[in-house]
């Protein structure tokens, strides 16, 4: 089988790495990929949003399966385009991807399916926003309806902040049409966790639990990023909590989508807040998480490719999934300044030394090769990912790897996985 992975981040490197280990696979392509995916297979210099050219390439090259990493091509309808010409592709179609690309639609699905989430209101004008915020008795979160590259959500501590957030989205239009409508919802307090499952539209196959670290600084301080690290499993999800998430959230979501004529095929990522009452949905994503995918792929014992195929053909019911009992931790190394402005083109050294350590994989994100050397080429640069007997050991190993890698201005959080440790020892 020839498999193509679309995207260029750490998530895509981890997926390509796992796919390349499948005995079913003869060749892996990555479009456009990074310096890491170039070592596994062939990078194709096509942007993930260049749907027409990607389709032509897949047809010409005889690609047997395409796996879509990022949300943008999904929201643009890459799956519809590929399916139209008979290409096999993993991911939800355009209308189904609205579960991620429209926060208003996602909330409607939750309401229809009686799925626990924060109370909310859909806002159509700035005046409506002011009115709603003025009368609110709870702290609020202001969300742009559309895709905003992970920056369209503002968690507010005061009414003034909420009004300023609504103004920037609706009046100043900092994310253009993504801010035409808003969801304003109550702020929840608890511990966040990522719950991913494969689904063919009818059955679901949950993946192992994981937790992301969104903020740039230690102790969850500072602005949100694409994710500064992740670990799996997440001990906050006890077996009983796991069952509740499946029954109260994952299953009704898939059922509601099917009832709405939007049968969901692909991976459903559910962002959850766990509080005293239980699990509540913060958002859905229509794709694998980045960086959660990095520890998940390291822990995945089963061959991923038959699972992806079964998702597409509606045969997940007959599938099982097996995980290594070890824990995994991914520490993201980023460019100084990220998530604000940062420089590119710094030479990276020490990757090979780090990779020679036991139970360490270095997943590339913003990297590029020039004349045999590797340079930084993005905000999030590398994901140093480890396996360990428990979370504590996995943390130690990941940071051993991090300490072998250098470039001018490398930054990473020093407390990835700490939350799990606190819980495990409680
Ligand atoms: N109701 C809420 N209460 C508290 N925090 C929230 C709430 N909704 C979102 N957040 C925080 O904002 C982050 C981003 O929100 P999310 O809905 O996941 O949007 P996106 O990932 O598209 O930016 C979440 O990971 C969470 O930390
Ligand atoms: Mg999110």
């Amino acid at each position: 089988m020839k498999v193509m992975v679309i995207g260029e981040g750490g998530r895509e490197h981890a997926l390509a790495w796992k796919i390349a280990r499948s005995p079913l696979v003869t060749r892996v392509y990555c479009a456009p990929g990074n310096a890491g995916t170039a070592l596994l297979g062939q990078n194709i210099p096509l942007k993930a949003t260049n749907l027409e050219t990607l389709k032509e390439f897949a047809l010409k090259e005889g690609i047997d399966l395409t796996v879509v990493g990022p949300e943008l091509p999904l929201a643009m309808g890459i799956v519809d385009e590929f399916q139209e010409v008979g290409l096999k592709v993993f991911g939800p179609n355009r209308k189904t991807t609205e579960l991620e690309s429209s926060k208003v639609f996602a909330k409607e699905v939750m309401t229809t399916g009686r799925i626990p989430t924060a109370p909310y209101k859909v806002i159509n004008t700035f005046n409506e926003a002011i009115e709603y915020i003025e009368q609110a008795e709870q702290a609020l979160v202001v969300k742009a309806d559309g895709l905003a590259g992970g920056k369209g959500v503002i968690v507010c501590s005061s009414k003034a902040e909420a009004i300023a957030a609504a103004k920037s989205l609706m009046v100043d239009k900092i994310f253009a049409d993504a801010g035409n409508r808003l969801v304003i919802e109550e702020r929840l307090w608890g511990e966040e966790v990522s719950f991913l499952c494969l689904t063919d539209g009818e059955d679901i196959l949950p993946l192992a639990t994981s937790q992301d670290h969104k903020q740039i600084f230690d102790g969850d301080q500072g602005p949100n990023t694409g994710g500064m690290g992740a670990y799996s499993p997440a001990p906050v999800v006890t077996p009983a909590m796991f069952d509740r998430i499946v029954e109260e959230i994952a299953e009704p979501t898939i059922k509601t989508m099917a009832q709405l004529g939007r049968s969901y095929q692909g991976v459903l990522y559910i962002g959850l807040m766990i509080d005293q009452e239980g699990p509540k949905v913060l958002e859905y994503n229509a794709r694998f998480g980045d960086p959660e995918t990095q520890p998940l792929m390291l822990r995945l014992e089963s061959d991923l490719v038959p699972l992806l195929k079964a998702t597409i053909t509606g045969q997940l019911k007959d599938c099982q999934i097996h995980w290594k009992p070890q824990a995994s931790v991914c520490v993201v190394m980023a460019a100084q300044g990220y998530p604000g402005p940062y420089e590119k083109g710094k030479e990276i050294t020490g990757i090979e030394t780090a990779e020679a350590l036991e139970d360490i994989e270095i997943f590339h994100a913003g990297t590029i090769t020039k004349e045999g050397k590797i340079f930084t080429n993005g905000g999030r640069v590398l994901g140093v990912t480890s396996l360990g007997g428990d979370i504590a050991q996995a943390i130690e190993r990941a940071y051993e790897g991090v300490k072998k890698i250098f470039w001018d201005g490398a930054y990473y959080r020093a407390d990835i996985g700490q939350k799990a440790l606190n819980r495990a020892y409680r």
Side-chain angles (χ1 to χ4, degrees), residues 69 74 123 391 418:
L74 291 170
I123 300 289
I391 290 272
Q418 216 58 44

Side-chain angles (χ1 to χ4, degrees), residues 13 24 116 126 159 216 251 270 321 351 371 375 377 411 414 424:
H13 186 188
L24 300 171
F126 182 49
K159 292 189 178 189
I216 185 74
E251 283 175 349
I270 310 174
I321 191 162
I351 292 180
E371 289 156 10
F375 296 86
N377 194 41
Y411 169 79

Side-chain angles (χ1 to χ4, degrees), residues 103 118 141 143 150-153 155 185-188 192 214 224 273 282-283:
K103 292 206 191 287
V141 179
K143 302 188 169 190
K151 292 185 178 140
V153 168
V155 181
E185 65 182 37
E186 273 181 24
R187 182 168 175 179
L188 302 173
E192 280 188 65
K214 285 251 157 258
N224 273 351
M273 185 75 89
L282 293 178
E283 68 155 348

Side-chain angles (χ1 to χ4, degrees), residues 20 22 36 63 78 97 210 227:
S22 167
I63 301 290
I78 191 170
T97 298
S210 56

Side-chain angles (χ1 to χ4, degrees), residues 15 90 194-199 204-210 232-234 237 242 245-246 266-269 287-289 292-293 296-297 299-300 302 304 307-308 311 316 320-323:
L15 288 170
F90 177 88
S194 309
F195 194 89
L196 284 77
C197 49
L198 297 176
T199 172
I204 69 166
L205 189 64
L207 306 187
T209 57
S210 56
S232 172
V237 184
F242 190 95
I245 296 169
V246 170
V267 61
L268 174 66
Y269 170 127
R287 43 154 177 102
F288 286 98
E292 292 95 326
T293 302
L296 287 179
M297 289 305 115
R299 287 193 63 215
L300 181 56
S302 308
L304 179 63
L307 297 172
L308 300 177
T311 302
L316 266 186
Q320 287 189 329
I321 191 162
H322 300 288
W323 301 92

Side-chain angles (χ1 to χ4, degrees), residues 309-361:
K309 281 171 70 177
T311 302
I312 294 176
T313 54
Q315 288 164 313
L316 266 186
K317 196 190 219 169
D318 309 322
C319 293
Q320 287 189 329
I321 191 162
H322 300 288
W323 301 92
K324 297 199 169 92
Q326 289 111 304
S328 178
V329 170
C330 170
V331 177
V332 170
M333 299 181 74
Q336 190 74 52
Y338 174 80
Y342 54 84
E343 289 178 27
K344 294 182 183 177
K346 310 282 186 191
E347 188 183 344
I348 309 172
T349 58
I351 292 180
E352 278 175 16
T353 323
E355 218 149 27
L357 296 171
E358 204 186 334
D359 286 330
I360 290 266
E361 281 301 325

Side-chain angles (χ1 to χ4, degrees), residues 64-84:
D64 298 294
L65 173 66
T66 299
V67 183
V68 188
E71 63 274 21
L72 214 48
L74 291 170
M76 289 169 71
I78 191 170
V79 170
D80 312 60
E81 295 251 345
F82 272 51
Q83 282 176 346
E84 228 166 69

